[in-house]
Amino acid sequence: MKNFTVTLSLFCILIGNLTLSAQSFENASEYLDFVAEEQQAITKNMWKYTKAVAHSKSDRSIDGKRKNLLKTIDRAISKIENAEGYDGDDYKNQVLKHMRLNKSLLNHDYAAIVDMKEVAEQSYDAMEAYIIAQEMADKKMEESQKEYEANFYAFAEKHNIQIIESENDLGKKMKISNEVFEHYNDMYLIYFKVYINEVYLWEAVEANDVSAIQQNSNALNAAAKEGLEALKSQATYKNDDSIIIATRNAFEFFIDETENKMPQITDFLILNEDFEKIKTTLEQTPERKRTKEQIDAYNKKVKDINKAVKNYNKVNTELNTKRQKTINELNNTNANFLANHIPND
């Protein structure tokens, strides 16, 4: 399964030439430059973290970038706390409120999301809750950022500072990454709603529960067909329909699995259950009391079961091979989608 991660929306504004000031500032422009430089440092490490999420397959590397981001926020908070504010501490406290909220989100909301990830794949409701939690955390981050920007402009206007905006490369890249992950997560939730039914189906197969197999097979078939319909209304991202195609292929595999392969598996399990009953009955009957009809029925079932075993193994092998191929293609498509649309520089 493709593991899914969270992206944060951080905004970076550059004002003229950024210079790191000392503990006090001669004018409001100097103080704004000081704050903007600290915010830029946070944004740079946020981008390193986002790149790791998109391009790295190492959980350790991703977690390392997250820890570096937290250290950068801590350093920025410390510098701003220790520096004098300008024209009082109102604006300084507003900036600190924003950075502390970002830190809290990373340490608490996103930490909780990491815990939720461990159980997210156990059910559709758990996966949906996991993704909603990501969205809520991102929303909090976005609202904090809007407040930060409003305070930034209000401070500049109060002190008659003309702001020359420049949405630098980092800002553009972060915006792109958020859009990419939004499409990615939307598509994954559509896929997972179908896929979880296959998980339940194979739990039933492993338990040799024919009734549960038939029930979950019907549920998977219906979910896959609903999924195909849902895909028809999905917009592509920048004309890239690769995830849609790979997801469609997976749904078509599930339909073929339930309509053509599962009936053969259930037929074998029913036949095998009958065979075990005949075998048990025969074994429990003393040899001198065994009838010709019993022995003939047993011998016939042996031939039937031997033939059925070969077909069962063949169907299982075909299913496993095709499933692995289909899921690998989807996972590779997802990884390539992120790699292609999220810059790696």
Side-chain angles (χ1 to χ4, degrees):
M1 295 295 300
K2 184 69 184 175
N3 293 325
F4 291 76
T5 53
V6 179
T7 59
L8 317 178
S9 300
L10 297 179
F11 182 77
C12 182
I13 301 178
L14 300 182
I15 315 168
N17 296 320
L18 297 176
T19 56
L20 179 61
S21 180
Q23 293 298 308
S24 61
F25 306 89
E26 295 183 1
N27 54 60
S29 180
E30 242 184 42
Y31 190 70
L32 278 184
D33 285 351
F34 164 71
V35 170
E37 184 167 345
E38 295 308 313
Q39 185 65 29
Q40 183 189 23
I42 292 173
T43 306
K44 284 182 177 179
N45 276 296
M46 183 65 247
W47 180 241
K48 290 179 181 178
Y49 174 70
T50 302
K51 284 197 301 179
V53 169
H55 301 288
S56 176
K57 295 182 180 179
S58 169
D59 289 341
R60 180 178 297 180
S61 173
I62 294 172
D63 189 53
K65 298 295 189 299
R66 175 180 169 277
K67 290 178 179 177
N68 285 338
L69 173 59
L70 280 167
K71 289 179 182 178
T72 302
I73 294 176
D74 278 335
R75 285 193 293 267
I77 289 174
S78 178
K79 287 183 181 180
I80 292 174
E81 282 179 334
N82 293 326
E84 293 181 6
Y86 186 84
D87 190 21
D89 286 340
D90 286 350
Y91 179 61
K92 171 182 175 178
N93 290 334
Q94 290 168 351
V95 173
L96 287 172
K97 176 186 175 184
H98 167 68
M99 291 184 174
R100 286 168 182 155
L101 177 58
N102 288 349
K103 178 181 176 181
S104 177
L105 287 171
L106 285 168
N107 274 330
H108 298 99
D109 292 56
Y110 289 106
I113 289 169
V114 171
D115 292 338
M116 292 175 70
K117 181 181 178 182
E118 295 181 2
V119 298
E121 294 186 3
Q122 294 181 7
S123 72
Y124 175 77
D125 288 343
M127 178 59 72
E128 187 176 38
Y130 169 65
I131 291 178
I132 289 174
Q134 292 182 35
E135 293 174 349
M136 290 178 64
D138 287 343
K139 182 68 174 177
K140 290 180 184 178
M141 188 74 76
E142 181 181 355
E143 289 174 352
S144 175
Q145 185 57 42
K146 288 179 180 178
E147 183 179 355
Y148 167 79
E149 293 169 21
N151 293 331
F152 181 94
Y153 284 109
F155 183 85
E157 182 178 2
K158 177 181 179 181
H159 295 282
N160 299 315
I161 299 172
Q162 183 179 3
I163 303 299
I164 302 175
E165 294 186 28
S166 174
E167 187 181 10
N168 68 342
D169 287 343
L170 285 173
K172 291 178 181 178
K173 290 173 182 176
M174 291 303 302
K175 182 178 179 181
I176 290 172
S177 71
N178 291 335
E179 293 172 352
V180 171
F181 275 104
E182 182 178 1
H183 179 74
Y184 176 92
N185 289 337
D186 287 346
M187 290 301 306
Y188 186 76
L189 197 55
I190 291 173
Y191 166 74
F192 189 82
K193 189 174 185 178
V194 178
Y195 167 77
I196 191 64
N197 288 281
E198 205 214 18
V199 174
Y200 300 149
L201 172 60
W202 279 95
E203 287 177 354
V205 172
E206 290 174 4
N208 294 328
D209 188 334
V210 173
S211 177
I213 291 172
Q214 292 171 335
Q215 180 180 350
N216 286 294
S217 182
N218 291 336
L220 175 58
N221 184 273
K225 289 177 178 177
E226 289 175 5
L228 287 177
E229 288 300 313
L231 291 179
K232 293 179 181 179
S233 61
Q234 288 300 304
T236 62
Y237 179 79
K238 294 189 180 300
N239 296 319
D240 184 344
D241 60 355
S242 58
I243 295 183
I244 294 176
I245 292 173
T247 304
R248 183 186 301 126
N249 290 340
F251 291 169
E252 289 173 349
F253 164 74
F254 294 146
I255 292 172
D256 177 66
E257 176 183 39
T258 56
E259 292 183 352
N260 300 313
K261 301 299 190 295
M262 279 302 137
Q264 297 182 64
I265 288 178
T266 55
D267 285 347
F268 169 77
L269 293 177
I270 292 171
L271 177 64
N272 189 58
E273 185 177 354
D274 290 342
F275 171 72
E276 290 298 327
K277 289 179 181 178
I278 292 174
K279 179 182 177 183
T280 299
T281 299
L282 186 66
E283 289 175 345
Q284 291 177 349
T285 302
E287 287 189 26
R288 59 187 175 79
K289 292 185 178 182
R290 292 175 185 174
T291 66
K292 183 176 184 302
E293 288 76 13
Q294 280 182 305
I295 295 173
D296 289 344
Y298 173 77
N299 290 335
K300 182 178 184 304
K301 282 294 182 181
V302 168
K303 292 180 181 178
D304 291 342
I305 201 69
N306 287 337
K307 181 179 178 181
V309 164
K310 291 181 180 179
N311 184 65
Y312 177 80
N313 291 336
K314 178 176 177 289
V315 170
N316 255 333
T317 299
E318 290 175 352
L319 267 178
N320 291 334
T321 300
K322 193 169 183 180
R323 179 189 299 103
Q324 192 65 50
K325 181 175 181 292
T326 301
I327 301 303
N328 284 345
E329 286 178 352
L330 179 58
N331 287 339
N332 290 336
T333 297
N334 287 337
N336 290 334
F337 177 83
L338 295 178
N340 290 337
H341 293 290
I342 295 181
N344 193 25
D345 54 8

